[in-house]
Structures are given as structure tokens and as C-alpha cells.
Amino acid sequence: MDITDIKSYMQSVGQEARTASRLVAKADTAAKNHALTAMANAIRRDELLLLAANAKDLENARAKGLEASMIDRLTLSAKGIVTMVEGLLQIAALADPVGKISGLSYRPSGIQVGKMRVPLGVIGIIYEARPNVTADAAGLCLKAGNAAILRGGSEAIHSNQAIAACVKEGLRLAGLPETAVQVIETTDRAAVGELITMKDFVDVIVPRGGKGLIERIANEARIPVIKHLDGVCHVYIDDQADFDKAVKIADNAKTQRYGTCNTMETLLIHEGIAQRILPPLCKIYFDKGVELRGDAVARSIIPQMHEATEQDWYEEYLAPVLSIRIVDGLDQAIDHITQYGSQHTDAIVTENYSRARRFLREVDSSSVMVNTTTRFADGFEYGLGAEIGISTDKIHARGPVGLEGLTSQKFIVLGDGQLRQ
């Protein structure tokens, strides 16, 4: 296939995906699970090949001077390969959502009305770095009965194509069309422009990457988009929090990994506990090289902090930088999250049941947590087998998007000869 003529190439990819989607939509669960298991086996077998391909991408990334956060997301470790394998096997073990009927009820006319879960069709996924997305997206789209067109970033081209070979092998061994999952072979950015406007062939676009990429997709796409722009995540430590628990959670939420969308970017602390908890917590951050930016009260306790600007409260750093604000209570914490947050993931640490319930109810984010780290906001951790991304939209899919998020529902009506009067 000629991939230099981008428009023709993408049209061909779209046509093949649409044809494959009809075959995948009617594939039985056994065939899909066979493909997923075969993909996992191929990835496990080809670990050294995948790591070698990733090494090429990392070498190129460093030569181009890409940011540390991008290189972190691009890195594929042996542990990451195990996680990809486990993700595919988890997806295979999950119940097949396609064809599930719910809500059947009789109407006065005698007909039964319910809903059946059905595939979306063809899903286009555009992502930067993160080679694991190739396997996760392929597995989830397939199990949900969809065809997928995957366009990874140019920085991960070798890794993505190596994983794509394992995906194709799995499809082939299961007797499913290899075109059910297509990984775009060109790094030409024009391919993205084509993909997001091919409304005859693509039903949904899922962008995963930086804010610039997602804003572009949201503005230019002629196809529905499942997206989130920012991961400005908060942890609020209440004055009725367990001290040791709060320190460990605030540490993990920020330092377990810096370059992820569910990493804490702003720490809110009740003024009643600030004098006690800030010194040991900030020592942990300073020892790990985290730059702290605080409000006046936080800096009066820890003078080494930089002054936080208004923009800092909106910032998704994706780096070892943390904003800290001291608040007078739960209401001010919720008000801060409402004003500055991105409706991604927010957590409260408290032993007060009533405050925890209020936080869960009043914080309008896709994931809201009590007494745990924001780093758990992840499809794999939620038992979804992996995720296609995290949605902060409020229609159709919200939070980590797994199998159900990649399906829709249609009404079904069962009758026995009833006629409308």
C-alpha cells in the first residue's frame, strides 16, 4: 500500500476498518478471546524484540531533546510488557458486553421493551508516546466488537509497529480479519487530519496525549470525540485525617510517577493540621527533588517553598512540581477544586464519614476517592482489563473507558403480533 499519498492511504485504511467492523461485531466471544490470548502470547514471546524496538525510539527521542515526561511515557520496560500481557488476559476474562440485554419490561400494549449493548463500529485512537496503548486499545476495541484505527506518535513508531505485529498475529490465529486493528504506518501528521474527518468510516475518535493534541482534535474533528484535556488532580487532607495514612497517600499521589494524568498536582491541607503535617511531608518531597509552590500560609510554615501564582492552581505539571494551598475547611477545598480542577480525579483523606460522603457527592470529577491515592484512577486498577483513556466528558462515557464505554445501546422490542391501536 502506498503510504506517501496520505489521503488515499487513509481512505483505504478506513474502508478496510469499516468492512472488518462488521465481521468483528458478529464474532463470538470465543473467537475474540482466542485472539486476545494469542496477542498476549505473542507479546510475551517477543519481549526482547519489543524492548529493542523501544530502545530505537528512546534513542531518537533523546537525540531530539524530548522532555523527560515524554521519555518517561515512551519507555517500555520488561514490567510494562508484563502489564500489557496481563491487560489483554484480563480483557479476555471479562464478560463480553456485546449482545447483553437489560431493562426488559412489559408495556400496557403487551410488547416488551429493553436495551441491547452493541459495538460503536470503528474507533480511531490518536495517542502520543505510551506504546502500551497499542495493545490496550487493540484488546478493548476487539472485545467490545469494534474495529480500531490506531495512530501513535512518531516518537513511538518502532515500538508501535512491533506491538502491531503481535496484534495481527493474534487476529490471524483466531480467524478474524487482520484489518480489525490497523496501526497507521506513516508518521506524517496529515494522517491525523484525515482520520478525524473520515465520518463515513470512523464512528468515534479517542485522543490520548498532551493538551495541544486534544484541543486540536476536539476543534477539528467531524466525528464524536471522547476526551479529557487536563489532569489537574487534587488531594485534600482534612483535619480529621489519619496522620500516617495522609502522609503516605500524599507522597504516593505525587511521587509514584510524575508524568501521568492521575498524578496529584495540587495538595490542599486543612489549616488545623498544616503545622503538624507539612514539615514531614515537605521533607519527603524535598528529598525526592520535588519543587514546591505554596500560598502565603504554606510558605510561612515551610519558607523554602516558592510562591504559587494564580496560574499554578490551574497547572498540570506532569513533572516533580507541586502546588500546596492551606484551606479553612471542606467547603473551601471543594470550592478550590471546582474552580481550578479539570474534573479528572480528586481525593479526600479523612476519618470523618460525613465529610467523606459530602466530598464524594459534591466534587464533580470523573473519579472521586476517599483515603487513597489518585494514582488508582486507571482502567487496569479498576478491573476494566485496561483502558482506552480517561474521559472527563459527561455524555456516554466518563472516567476510565473500558468495554462498556466502547459500546452503545439500542432499544429492542419483543412482540407477539401486537398492533398499535
Side-chain angles (χ1 to χ4, degrees):
M1 186 185 301
D2 180 12
I3 63 173
T4 58
D5 181 348
I6 299 299
K7 188 174 185 66
S8 296
Y9 169 61
M10 292 304 295
Q11 288 287 311
S12 177
V13 167
Q15 289 172 343
E16 291 182 333
R18 178 60 76 199
T19 300
S21 72
R22 298 189 183 99
L23 298 174
V24 175
K26 63 183 181 180
D28 60 32
T29 304
K32 292 187 287 187
N33 288 346
H34 183 185
L36 291 165
T37 303
M39 289 177 198
N41 291 338
I43 289 172
R44 185 188 290 114
R45 180 198 66 211
D46 289 350
E47 175 182 345
L48 295 180
L49 292 175
L50 299 183
L51 292 175
N54 187 243
K56 290 182 183 177
D57 289 329
L58 289 172
E59 182 181 354
N60 293 336
R62 294 188 181 100
K64 293 176 181 177
L66 295 187
E67 294 180 359
S69 59
M70 177 69 82
I71 291 176
D72 176 60
R73 294 193 295 274
L74 176 60
T75 301
L76 184 61
S77 64
K79 181 180 178 181
I81 290 174
V82 170
T83 300
M84 277 196 295
V85 170
E86 290 178 350
L88 289 168
L89 294 178
Q90 276 196 21
I91 296 169
L94 291 172
D96 191 339
V98 179
K100 180 181 178 182
I101 296 173
S102 61
L104 267 181
S105 62
Y106 280 99
R107 303 299 301 146
S109 62
I111 63 172
Q112 283 183 284
V113 179
K115 289 184 176 181
M116 176 182 287
R117 196 157 286 282
V118 294
L120 293 175
V122 177
I123 300 175
I125 302 165
I126 301 162
Y127 52 106
E128 297 173 334
R130 297 196 191 285
N132 64 289
V133 174
T134 304
D136 294 347
L140 284 166
C141 288
L142 175 65
K143 186 64 178 271
N146 302 292
I149 301 173
L150 311 183
R151 202 287 184 177
S154 58
E155 68 283 347
I157 185 66
H158 296 100
S159 305
N160 289 336
Q161 291 301 322
I163 296 169
C166 297
V167 170
K168 288 183 179 180
E169 178 180 326
L171 291 166
R172 184 173 64 253
L173 290 174
L176 296 173
E178 292 185 22
T179 48
V181 179
Q182 297 177 80
V183 180
I184 300 302
E185 297 175 15
T186 177
T187 59
D188 193 320
R189 296 185 67 185
V192 173
E194 291 296 326
L195 179 58
I196 63 178
T197 57
M198 296 197 309
K199 58 183 180 179
D200 290 338
F201 303 123
V202 182
D203 297 288
V204 176
I205 294 289
V206 181
R208 291 190 61 172
K211 186 174 181 179
L213 169 72
I214 296 172
E215 284 184 331
R216 177 199 169 190
I217 302 305
N219 291 334
E220 297 180 12
R222 297 174 63 191
I223 300 163
V225 178
I226 299 174
K227 66 186 183 302
H228 83 267
L229 289 176
D230 294 300
V232 184
C233 303
H234 302 78
V235 172
Y236 165 55
I237 301 177
D238 186 48
D239 65 339
Q240 294 192 33
D242 178 281
F243 185 90
D244 292 335
K245 190 184 297 181
V247 169
K248 291 176 181 177
I249 289 170
D251 176 19
N252 183 269
K254 184 61 196 178
T255 69
Q256 196 266 339
R257 196 168 178 184
Y258 296 114
T260 56
C261 62
N262 56 19
T263 296
M264 174 181 66
E265 304 291 20
T266 296
L267 175 63
L268 305 173
I269 301 176
H270 191 292
E271 61 185 6
I273 199 175
Q275 288 278 359
R276 181 183 172 213
I277 202 168
L278 257 184
L281 193 48
C282 290
K283 183 181 187 306
I284 292 172
Y285 291 139
F286 285 138
D287 287 347
K288 293 184 177 182
V290 178
E291 177 187 335
L292 301 180
R293 302 178 185 179
D295 67 357
V297 180
R299 287 185 294 112
S300 71
I301 300 170
I302 307 293
Q304 303 98 301
M305 279 191 203
H306 298 289
E307 181 179 357
T309 65
E310 177 71 7
Q311 182 57 38
D312 280 316
W313 308 124
Y314 291 103
E315 203 67 39
E316 182 184 24
Y317 298 112
L318 298 174
V321 182
L322 177 67
S323 300
I324 300 178
R325 182 181 181 186
I326 310 304
V327 295
D328 60 18
L330 179 61
D331 286 328
Q332 192 174 32
I334 293 174
D335 288 345
H336 180 100
I337 293 168
T338 300
Q339 180 174 352
Y340 298 106
S342 61
Q343 300 184 313
H344 191 294
T345 302
D346 299 291
I348 183 174
V349 186
T350 186
E351 298 302 307
N352 185 299
Y353 177 81
S354 297
R355 293 180 187 177
R357 293 279 298 189
R358 273 198 61 202
F359 192 87
L360 289 174
R361 185 175 65 252
E362 296 179 27
V363 173
D364 187 22
S365 297
S366 67
S367 287
V368 186
M369 303 178 165
V370 175
N371 290 335
T372 192
T373 172
T374 58
R375 287 287 291 122
F376 276 124
D378 172 86
F380 186 80
E381 296 291 347
Y382 282 8
L384 305 180
E387 67 182 35
I388 210 77
I390 292 179
S391 171
T392 53
D393 292 331
K394 295 187 179 181
I395 298 175
H396 175 60
R398 193 177 192 195
V401 181
L403 293 179
E404 286 206 353
L406 296 179
T407 59
S408 182
Q409 288 182 305
K410 63 183 178 185
F411 279 97
I412 60 169
V413 179
L414 306 179
D416 188 26
Q418 291 89 350
L419 302 176
R420 186 166 182 175
Q421 302 302 314

